[in-house]
Amino acid sequence: EFNISSKILIADDCLIASNCTFIDHNHGLSESKVPIRLQQTKSRPITIDENVWIGANSTILIGVSIGKGAVIGAGSVVTKNIPSNEIWAGVPAKFLRKR
């Protein structure tokens, strides 16, 4: 599922498994007296470099960049940038090892 309001860039030779979700924006929540649904959203693009493998049921969130040759384990929630040639997994995703 692509829930994109800004931009997503996906390079060549990427593997994206079933049921992955990409969300490039968040609702505002700083004004406690204004309903969240009425607050201004914040958006930053998602970038996926070449030769990345994203496992099934993973979620990639606002502003994340995934480096060349990285692997994201199934069911992960990626909240921060992933360096090239690293394997990350979990909720939230954490570094496991280098490739």
Side-chain angles (χ1 to χ4, degrees):
E1 176 181 341
F2 291 91
N3 191 343
I4 302 297
S5 66
S6 175
K7 184 190 315 186
I8 184 169
L9 301 169
I10 302 173
D12 293 335
D13 298 318
C14 291
L15 298 170
I16 299 174
S18 303
N19 300 314
C20 289
T21 302
F22 301 85
I23 304 168
D24 75 344
H25 58 281
N26 280 332
H27 291 281
L29 49 85
S30 60
E31 302 289 330
S32 63
K33 295 182 181 189
V34 176
I36 293 171
R37 69 179 180 83
L38 297 177
Q39 294 189 41
Q40 185 172 0
T41 62
K42 296 177 183 173
S43 176
R44 290 192 325 270
I46 294 170
T47 304
I48 302 169
D49 209 336
E50 62 189 50
N51 192 33
V52 167
W53 178 16
I54 301 175
N57 301 306
S58 293
T59 300
I60 313 302
L61 296 178
I62 182 174
V64 164
S65 291
I66 301 177
K68 182 178 180 177
V71 176
I72 308 301
S76 297
V77 176
V78 181
T79 61
K80 57 187 171 184
N81 294 341
I82 307 298
S84 295
N85 295 310
E86 290 189 359
I87 301 171
W88 287 57
V91 180
K94 295 188 181 338
F95 172 76
L96 297 180
R97 66 180 177 88
K98 291 263 191 192
R99 283 189 59 214

